Amino acid sequence: MKTKFLWMAWGIGTFALAGVGLARIYVTGDRTDLLPGQTAGVHHQIELACETCHTSKPFAGQKKIRKDINKTCVNCHKDELKASDDSHPIKKFKPPRMAAYWDEIDARFCTSCHSEHRPEITSAGLVTQPGDFCVACHSEGDQDVRVNRESHEGLGFETCATAGCHNFHDNRALYEDFLVKHSDQPWLQEDPTHSIEAAAREKPRPEIADIEAYLAEVSAPVSARDQGVEAHWAGSAHALADVNCASCHAPKAETEEEVTAQWIEHPEEKVCASCHKDEAKTFALGRHGMRRHPEVSNPRPAKRMLKRLGWSDPSDGAIAFLEAYLVDPTPAPLMSTAEARVPLLPDAHGEELTCSTCHDPHEQDLQFAAVGACLSCHADEHSQNFTQSPHFALWQRELAGDLPPGSGVTCATCHMPKTERRGVITTNHNQNDTLRPNEKMIRPTCLECHSLEFAIDALADPELVNRNFTGQPNRHIESLDWALKRVTQPTEGANQ
Amino acid sequence: MGNKIGKIKASILGAALMGTTATSAMADGMEFETVADLLHLVMSSDRTVYTRMVVNRLANEEGVITASEHFVDDKALVLPAQMFRFGAEMVAENTDEFSYSLLSLWPINKQNAPTTPMEEEGLQYINDNPGENFYGVEELGGDEYFTAVYADVAVAPACYTCHNEHKDSPRTDFEGGDVMGGVVIRIPVN
């Protein structure tokens, strides 16, 4: 009898403890132990915000789950896919005529090629298919590329996407007619300047007389006045655009009294974002700011989670207790360099990334934002070799006035390309947008000064990339030669 | 081939494609063949209007703008075949109730070659039997589909000159009125 009682007590106790433990995790506790496997690359920043990607209801079918995950992928990658003129969009694989291909690689679902939490099979670009995945659809019948293209006879399928010739999604700088159109050009143009960079760098700054006038009209509480800060501001584009002290420190104030009363010593980023909308939006798409993306799920409030467990009206004391003792590690509002998984300089550790990390709000030193800010953190070989590169030398000569605006190449020239639309220049603050695959950089950046052939070769040479493009490529990608041959010698492949 | 295959509730199809004229097509029990014929009528009419009144007029007759496969880079008009494909892809994004595509036995783009035995059979049939359509039922991915194939005829010089001159075209002797390919419409039976 005693043994039976002990077994019952043990069983009840075990279930109770397990229940409390699971409820703790569900309500607002640390969910690290629930991760089925480490996420790859950048997704580690949001891996504990499970609901960002997993939106399906419990016990949903596999197809429904995969469809739902498609939607969450697109939440963040929509603009990128649209801009890429995607060569393999999902809509192309949905019609039933593609059913035979669904058995090979089911391209109706992102997760067929990008399966998260599987670091053991994940390669660059979060690809979880073997490197020769093109073989699945392009090796038989009418689709056999080795038959359609004489030049491709005998090529291994593991080389399609790794040799600098093709990408699954983005082929804007690699498609055949584009290659032909940009053939026979010198590796460096006669007048190598980046036109949009030039326009941005030539933007007017206040004249001396304007600066004096701006300084005379400074309106701020006495306790906040600072001659150095005011001098920097008066010489900035902000002053020229009539963005004064109160615009950021007391944005709703209309009178001097209200400015003093509502003064905010350290305005939040949303003040910057209220004007710099495109910059804020793209910042939230890159590694530096992705935790700000509006689709990343919010931390779980204890009250809401208790309601879901059936406790419809939890007391304030219970909520306060849970919030005090259960730490919700769903993404912190800001990315910290302490969590970065790329090589960083020792001095950079512990920094949080905000607008003012790279942009001093008063000084607006774009030289620092375009180079200095990057090099104060990043310690990888490519970054640290920049100051010995020919691109940096051009930048220094431009700053010295020896070369025209747009001649110099900064970190931002390549990693934060500018676009111009109806006279408005916007800087892409998703610094990863043209990085993977790196051929995405060719059109917005490389082609401004270099030939397509040189750009493809240079980006396909990892050693040259590590040297930050000091020297010439040691690789030659033959795609342009082959494309040109089909046009100039049409008997060999064209009009089969 | 005009045999009656079955019945379909065509409300979604009608609403999607027929707009205000959908009322008569929304009645339960419309034959698959009739639904497919109506869908094709809209598709082929739009396609012919775009080809004749936009591309052929502006690019070939008046020469004020070109039409290009790379219409974004070339700041040009979308080719008629691309216009059709973009519509088909937009439908695919929005519904599984039907799908359609423009295919050919001599496609410039290899992805527009037949991928199922019935597509091959249907394209061959409309080529061998001018003026006739092809209808059948096939199983794809575990589901049964009513499949209709309609001839796509060269309605303007813009069609056959481009196909004859394109470096990837496997056939270069098309003339006006030739069957260049076919529109394939699929409707799930269940």
Side-chain angles (χ1 to χ4, degrees), chain A residues 343 374-375 378-387 411 465-466 468:
Chain A
C374 316
L375 297 185
H378 288 275
D380 58 278
E381 207 177 338
H382 172 80
S383 301
Q384 291 301 306
N385 281 333
F386 177 62
T387 52
C411 304
V465 174
N466 281 344
N468 212 307

Side-chain angles (χ1 to χ4, degrees), chain A residues 67 91-92 94-97 99 101 142-143 148-149 175-178 181 443 486-487 494-496, chain B residues 70 73-74 89 92-93 96 99 101 103 110-111 113 115 119 140-141 145 166-170 172 186:
Chain A
K67 270 187 175 180
K91 59 191 175 189
K92 197 175 271 187
K94 280 190 71 181
R97 68 183 299 264
Y101 294 105
D142 290 322
Q143 309 303 324
N148 296 333
R149 292 285 187 278
Y175 69 84
E176 192 177 64
D177 290 346
F178 189 80
K181 190 176 175 181
R443 291 181 63 143
R486 283 192 83 224
V487 177
N495 280 339
Q496 308 92 322
Chain B
H70 311 297
D73 282 350
D74 296 343
E89 289 176 351
E93 281 184 305
D96 296 326
S99 64
S101 45
L103 308 179
K110 294 293 177 291
Q111 71 180 4
T115 58
E119 284 180 350
L140 298 168
Y145 293 89
H166 198 286
K167 68 179 186 299
D168 290 333
S169 178
T172 56
R186 278 195 183 80

Side-chain angles (χ1 to χ4, degrees), chain A residues 59-311:
Chain A
F59 310 112
Q62 267 299 311
K63 196 172 176 183
K64 168 70 175 157
I65 290 172
R66 298 183 84 190
K67 270 187 175 180
D68 288 342
I69 289 182
N70 271 2
K71 289 178 191 167
T72 63
C73 299
V74 172
N75 276 340
C76 293
H77 296 282
K78 178 173 61 184
D79 292 349
E80 183 184 10
L81 285 168
K82 186 179 175 188
S84 74
D85 190 20
D86 193 358
S87 303
H88 294 85
I90 287 171
K91 59 191 175 189
K92 197 175 271 187
F93 294 90
K94 280 190 71 181
R97 68 183 299 264
M98 305 302 282
Y101 294 105
W102 300 343
D103 295 332
E104 303 293 335
I105 292 178
D106 198 343
R108 294 173 299 169
F109 305 107
C110 308
T111 48
S112 296
C113 295
H114 305 286
S115 181
E116 260 299 5
H117 303 291
R118 303 186 70 188
E120 70 280 5
I121 60 163
T122 304
S123 54
L126 189 55
V127 175
T128 47
Q129 285 285 348
D132 61 349
F133 59 85
C134 304
V135 73
C137 301
H138 295 280
S139 61
E140 291 179 359
D142 290 322
Q143 309 303 324
D144 192 340
V145 71
R146 296 163 301 188
V147 175
N148 296 333
R149 292 285 187 278
E150 191 182 28
S151 55
H152 288 48
E153 190 180 351
L155 294 181
F157 279 93
E158 75 283 0
T159 63
C160 306
T162 56
C165 296
H166 303 287
N167 292 315
F168 186 83
H169 293 295
D170 192 331
N171 290 286
R172 282 174 292 171
L174 303 174
Y175 69 84
E176 192 177 64
D177 290 346
F178 189 80
L179 296 174
V180 172
K181 190 176 175 181
H182 292 83
S183 61
D184 289 332
Q185 293 177 354
W187 78 278
L188 185 64
Q189 290 179 17
E190 284 183 16
D191 177 26
T193 54
H194 193 296
S195 55
I196 304 177
E197 282 283 349
R201 292 172 194 174
E202 285 179 313
K203 269 188 173 177
R205 288 296 174 106
E207 304 288 340
I208 295 293
D210 297 328
I211 290 174
E212 288 170 357
Y214 296 146
L215 288 173
E217 291 177 9
V218 166
S219 171
V222 176
S223 59
R225 298 294 295 264
D226 182 308
Q227 282 191 342
V229 165
E230 289 167 25
H232 280 309
W233 165 78
S236 74
H238 272 163
L240 198 64
D242 202 23
V243 178
N244 55 35
C245 308
S247 303
C248 300
H249 290 276
K252 291 180 181 173
E254 293 181 357
T255 64
E256 284 198 26
E257 290 73 25
E258 287 177 350
V259 169
T260 303
Q262 297 174 17
W263 188 264
I264 303 165
E265 191 64 29
H266 297 291
E268 293 181 357
E269 281 189 318
K270 61 185 178 186
V271 170
C272 312
S274 64
C275 291
H276 300 278
K277 290 185 173 66
D278 286 336
E279 284 76 8
K281 183 184 173 192
T282 50
F283 186 61
L285 291 170
R287 293 187 174 200
H288 286 161
M290 60 182 283
R291 279 184 174 160
R292 284 173 186 75
H293 196 284
E295 297 293 343
V296 172
S297 67
N298 294 319
R300 295 158 292 159
K303 188 173 183 179
R304 189 178 71 201
M305 303 309 285
L306 286 173
K307 277 186 179 173
R308 285 188 188 172
L309 280 179
W311 192 352

